[in-house]
Each structure stands twice: as structure tokens, then as C-alpha cells.
């Protein structure tokens, strides 16, 4: 696709819309950007994946810069998991060049469909879990969605934040403490099942390298449900990790010439502007509305990608 | 200084490094993009020019080279963040996390070496 002054505005607008959706729904935006580029603008799949990876770096860097200042992003845990996620992303980025665009589109759709279902029915993620502690975050509440959290996932599962004022030694080496402004309390937590978290991070990194998404859709539930990190910290830590995950494979796409400068610049600039708008909007939208919108959009996109993968078009 | 205070201070440096990377890449991309659109420069397909040639071309006002440098700056922003964390943890003698960040840095280095000439 050749970028002209006329379609540059359209491309930037697509970036802006996905940036808004990404910020409101709490994802890097890749799950919306790639279908928009492929289905609406006719960009080849490999270029779309590369463009998305670079755009995800932009949104992740912008959001993470705020979260590390607030202290919600757990840098120690994030860096530890980044070992697995970076290995997965490099492997994904290397193998993506050998996979046909149709197969990539089919895989993308297959990944989106269960994600859409989990967004529609967040209770499906709960499974068998331990009793909710009295200090647990109410993940079905408005605050979980409208607090600047970037996860986009509403799980209702049980993290186990400890009581304010408990000794830091109890949080372990990877645990952390942060102040929750909405809840007006300090939350401390330990990290559990690190090896399981590393395994899921590897898979998330691999899918990121293959499909151009940040992988937050998988990392947030892994951190929250498996590692028992409170939702807000899980979302912030996932976002903190997404930049490195995307960068690990973005360089490989760049080297193959899949990162088209004008297309990617237009999209990235639009996405960053959209992220800023979305960050302002997400405090005013109802969580249930956002979740429903997210799942419907994902399902529609997944079906369209499946049709393209199997029938063509 | 408590671990929370140390983390907050390190977080402040990470915040600055991320903003610096975003600002630099944004300026380069906007400059290159406007240059390409206004001059209707040709945009070659295929693999990008080697880094040193890109620098030379950008110095001569080539819009595509400026955009490529902007994209590279954006992709390098998370790398800079890992470098800042490695330096911070090394300064505080947190050897375990220094090793972790150096491992991540090595993985990113492999990707950079394979991707950027």
C-alpha cells in the first residue's frame, strides 16, 4: 500500500480509533489494528503484523511510563517474566516469516474467538478458586475497569493482596506494595507459581511474535489467576512487559523489510494520540458496556478473519 | 532507603527513559513523514538500508531515513528501559535482578543483531 496525503489521514485515523479502543479496553490495540489494516485498508498480513508490533511498543511505553511512577507496575516480576516472553517473541518472530499470510490470519482468528468468549463470560475464568479475602479487589466493579487499569480483562478471580502495613519481608523477593488511589489503601502481595507464569509468558510472547499483538490478553489472566497478583498490578505489569515482548520480534520484522516506514509512522502517531484520548475516556465509561463492546468486536473480527483465511477475499 | 523508596526512584528513571524514547521517535517520525508527503519522495520496498547509511541519508534530509530512524528509536525504547533497570539494580548490588535484566538485554540484542544491519 502506497501512503499518500489522502490515505495518510485515513491510516492515522485507523490508528487513532484503535488507540482509543486499546486504551479504553486495556489492550495494546493490536487485536483491533491488524483487522482494520488487513480487512479495511487492504494491507498485507505480514506488514500489518509488523505495524502492529511497533504501535504496541508506543502504547506500552506511554502507559508503562505512568504505571512505574505510580508504583503499580511490578518491575522485578515483569523483568523476570520478560526472559520467557522475550524468548517466545524471538522464536515467534523468526518463524512468522515462514508462515503464509492465510495461515496467520486463521491462527489470529482462532486466538480471538476464546478471548471474545472470556470477555463475554468472565466467570468462565474463575474456575475452582480459594475463598475471596476481605481485602480482595472487586473485579466486577466499575473501579476495576475505570481506574486506569490497562488489562481489559474482568475476571473476578481471587488475588490475595495482604493487609496494609504488613512487613515487606512477607511479600517475598518478587512481591510488591502499591497504593491504590481509588480504594484509598495500600496493597501488598506475594507472587505464587512463578514457573507457571514463566510458561504462560513464553506462549504469550510466541503469539505476540507470530501475530503482532502485545500478548496482554494472555499475560493479565496468567499474572492474576496463576501468580495471584492483584488485578491492577497484573494489568500494569503486563503493560510494562508488552514493550519488551514486542521489541524482541519487531527488530526481526524490521530486518525483513516488513515494517513499512510511512504506514507504520502514520499508524503509530495515530495510536499514540488515540491512547491519550482513550485514557481520558476510560474513567467515564461503564465497565459492563466496555466489556460487552470488546467481546462483540472481537467476535466479529474473528469471524471475518476466519472467512478470509478459509475462503479468501 | 527502603525497597519501596528505591523502587520508586528507579521507576522515576524508567519513566524518564520511556518518555525520552517516545519523544525522540515521535519527532523523527513526524519530521520524516511530513518530508515524504510534501516532497513526494519515492519509498523503496524491501529491506531497509544499513543503520550508518540511514544516519547519513537522514542528515541530508531524507524523509524515509528519518522515519526509519524514528521507528528504530521507538523499537529501542524498551531496550533503553532494560538498560536503565540493569544499571539501577547493579548500582544497588541486586545481583539477581541485574542478571535477569542482562539476560533480557542479551535476548533483545540477538533480535537487534538479526534484524538491524
Amino acid at each position: 500500500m502506497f501512503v499518500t496525503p489522502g490515505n495518510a489521514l485515513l491510516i492515522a485515523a485507523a490508528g487513532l480509533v484503535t488507540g482509543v479502543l486499546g486504551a479504553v479496553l486495556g489492550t495494546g490495540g493490536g487485536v483491533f489494528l491488524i483487522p482494520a489494516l488487513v480487512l479495511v485498508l487492504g494491507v498485507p498480513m505480514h506488514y500489518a503484523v509488523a505495524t502492529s508490533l511497533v504501535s504496541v511498543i508506543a502504547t506500552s511505553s506511554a502507559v508503562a511510563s505512568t504505571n512505574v511512577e505510580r508504583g503499580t507496575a511490578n518491575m522485578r516480576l515483569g523483568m523476570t517474566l520478560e526472559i520467557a516472553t522475550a524468548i517466545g517473541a524471538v522464536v515467534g518472530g523468526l518463524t512468522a516469516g515462514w508462515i503464509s499470510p492465510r495461515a496467520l490470519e486463521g491462527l489470529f482468528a482462532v486466538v480471538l474467538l476464546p478471548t471474545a468468549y472470556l470477555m463475554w463470560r468472565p466467570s468462565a475464568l474463575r474456575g475452582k478458586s480459594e475463598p475471596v479475602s476481605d481485602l480482595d479487589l472487586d473485579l466486577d466493579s466499575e473501579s476495576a475497569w475505570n481506574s486506569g487499569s490497562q488489562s481489559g480483562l474482568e475476571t473476578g478471580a481471587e488475588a490475595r493482596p495482604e493487609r496494609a502495613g504488613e512487613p515487606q519481608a512477607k511479600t517475598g523477593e518478587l512481591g510488591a506494595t502499591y497504593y491504590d488511589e481509588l480504594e484509598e489503601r495500600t496493597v501488598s502481595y506475594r507472587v505464587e507459581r512463578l514457573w507457571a507464569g514463566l510458561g504462560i509468558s513464553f506462549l504469550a510472547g510466541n503469539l505476540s511474535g507470530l501475530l503482532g499483538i502485545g500478548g496482554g490478553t494472555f499475560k493479565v489472566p496468567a499474572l492474576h489467576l496463576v501468580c495471584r497478583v492483584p488485578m491492577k498490578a497484573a494489568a500494569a505489569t503486563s503493560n510494562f512487559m508488552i514493550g519488551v515482548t514486542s521489541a524482541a520480534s519487531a527488530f526481526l520484522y524490521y530486518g525483513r523489510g516488513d515494517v513499512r516506514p510511512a504506514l507504520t509512522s502514520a499508524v503509530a502517531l495515530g495510536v499514540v494520540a488515540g491512547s491519550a484520548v482513550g485514557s481520558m475516556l476510560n474513567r467515564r465509561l461503564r465497565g459492563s458496556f466496555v466489556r460487552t463492546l470488546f467481546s462483540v468486536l472481537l467476535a466479529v473480527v474473528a469471524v471475518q478473519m476466519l472467512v478470509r483465511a478459509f475462503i479468501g477475499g | 532507603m527502603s525497597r519501596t523508596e528505591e523502587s520508586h526512584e528507579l521507576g522515576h528513571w524508567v519513566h524518564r527513559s520511556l518518555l525520552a524514547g517516545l519523544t525522540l521517535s515521535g519527532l523523527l517520525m513526524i519530521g520524516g513523514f511530513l518530508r515524504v508527503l510534501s516532497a513526494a519522495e519515492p519509498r523503496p520496498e524491501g529491506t531497509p538500508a544499513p543503520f550508518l547509511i540511514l544516519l547519513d541519508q537522514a542528515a541530508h534530509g531524507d524523509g524515509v531515513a528519518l522515519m526509519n530512524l524514528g521507528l528504530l528509536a521507538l523499537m529501542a525504547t524498551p531496550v533503553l528501559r532494560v538498560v536503565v533497570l540493569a544499571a539501577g539494580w547493579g548500582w544497588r548490588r541486586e545481583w539477581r535482578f541485574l542478571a535477569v535484566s542482562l539476560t533480557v538485554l542479551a535476548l533483545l540484542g540477538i533480535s537487534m543483531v538479526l534484524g538491524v544491519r
Side-chain angles (χ1 to χ4, degrees):
Chain A
M1 166 178 210
F2 195 81
V3 180
T4 62
N7 65 17
L9 284 176
L10 190 63
I11 294 166
L16 191 126
V17 171
T18 51
V20 171
L21 283 171
V24 167
L25 301 173
T27 69
V31 286
F32 301 109
L33 181 60
I34 292 174
L37 290 175
V38 174
L39 300 174
V40 180
L41 295 169
V43 175
M45 186 66 181
H46 282 105
Y47 289 179
V49 167
T51 302
S52 172
L53 277 172
V54 177
S55 300
V56 167
I57 294 172
T59 47
S60 164
S61 299
V63 174
S65 70
T66 308
N67 286 336
V68 291
E69 279 262 288
R70 285 181 185 156
T72 45
N74 184 336
M75 294 190 292
R76 285 179 170 82
L77 174 62
M79 283 296 288
T80 304
L81 295 177
E82 272 172 11
I83 294 176
T85 204
I87 293 172
V90 170
V91 172
L94 285 171
T95 49
W98 303 331
I99 299 175
S100 76
R102 271 190 159 192
L104 274 182
E105 287 174 15
L107 182 60
F108 193 85
V110 167
V111 169
L112 285 191
L113 279 173
T115 309
Y117 176 72
L118 291 175
M119 288 295 108
W120 186 263
R121 297 280 307 273
S123 57
L125 268 176
R126 288 177 184 159
K128 294 176 185 174
S129 45
E130 296 166 27
V132 182
S133 84
D134 57 342
L135 280 174
D136 210 346
L137 298 174
D138 178 5
L139 296 162
D140 285 328
S141 72
E142 291 298 300
S143 62
W145 272 94
N146 297 336
S147 60
S149 152
Q150 295 296 318
S151 77
L153 288 168
E154 198 176 12
T155 66
E158 297 79 7
R160 292 194 298 196
E162 294 170 10
R163 287 182 184 279
E166 284 196 358
Q168 278 191 351
K170 284 197 171 184
T171 64
E173 207 165 8
L174 288 175
T177 301
Y178 67 92
Y179 182 71
D180 189 319
E181 289 174 14
L182 271 182
E183 308 276 335
E184 294 184 337
R185 65 191 175 93
T186 302
V187 177
S188 297
Y189 60 92
R190 288 183 70 87
V191 175
E192 297 178 17
R193 303 187 196 95
L194 180 65
W195 285 107
L198 283 165
I200 296 170
S201 293
F202 173 82
L203 289 176
N206 196 243
L207 284 172
S208 170
L210 275 174
L211 303 177
I213 55 179
T217 320
F218 309 100
K219 286 174 193 164
V220 177
L223 283 169
H224 181 59
L225 297 170
V226 180
C227 299
R228 301 285 188 177
V229 175
M231 188 64 174
K232 210 169 277 187
T237 305
S238 166
N239 232 297
F240 174 79
M241 293 164 63
I242 281 171
V244 163
T245 310
S246 301
S249 46
F251 285 114
L252 301 171
Y253 281 87
Y254 177 85
R256 285 199 293 265
D258 289 338
V259 179
R260 306 307 306 153
L263 171 69
T264 312
S265 297
V267 169
L269 292 170
V271 164
V272 171
S275 300
V277 175
S279 296
M280 287 187 279
L281 273 179
N282 72 359
R283 290 171 187 273
R284 299 177 185 178
L285 294 175
R286 289 178 62 84
S288 55
F289 168 76
V290 173
R291 195 185 66 225
T292 306
L293 175 69
F294 191 19
S295 56
V296 170
L297 278 174
L298 283 183
V300 170
V301 164
V303 170
Q304 280 183 304
M305 295 295 259
L306 266 183
V307 168
R308 270 181 63 97
F310 289 105
I311 302 171
Chain B
M1 191 184 283
S2 72
R3 200 180 91 170
T4 304
E5 286 170 330
E6 284 182 353
S7 288
H8 186 73
E9 191 187 340
L10 193 52
H12 189 60
W13 282 104
V14 169
H15 166 79
R16 285 185 173 185
S17 67
L18 290 171
L19 284 188
L22 278 175
T23 306
L24 175 66
S25 63
L27 289 173
L28 285 167
M29 280 193 283
I30 290 171
F33 196 67
L34 293 176
R35 176 92 186 159
V36 162
L37 289 184
S38 62
E41 286 182 14
R43 272 152 278 177
E45 291 283 324
T47 55
F51 183 70
L52 291 176
I53 294 176
L54 277 182
L55 279 179
D56 186 53
Q57 289 172 338
H60 289 87
D62 184 295
V64 175
L66 281 169
M67 279 192 292
N68 270 317
L69 286 179
L71 293 169
L72 283 174
L74 184 57
M75 287 186 264
T77 299
V79 183
L80 176 65
R81 185 260 277 172
V82 178
V83 170
V84 168
L85 281 174
W89 282 323
W91 180 260
R92 292 177 173 83
R93 299 182 180 187
E94 293 193 42
W95 307 124
R96 181 174 168 181
F97 291 105
L98 172 64
V100 165
S101 46
L102 289 179
T103 306
V104 173
L105 206 53
L107 289 164
L108 288 170
I110 291 170
S111 176
M112 284 178 84
V113 167
L114 290 173
V116 184
R117 288 174 293 158

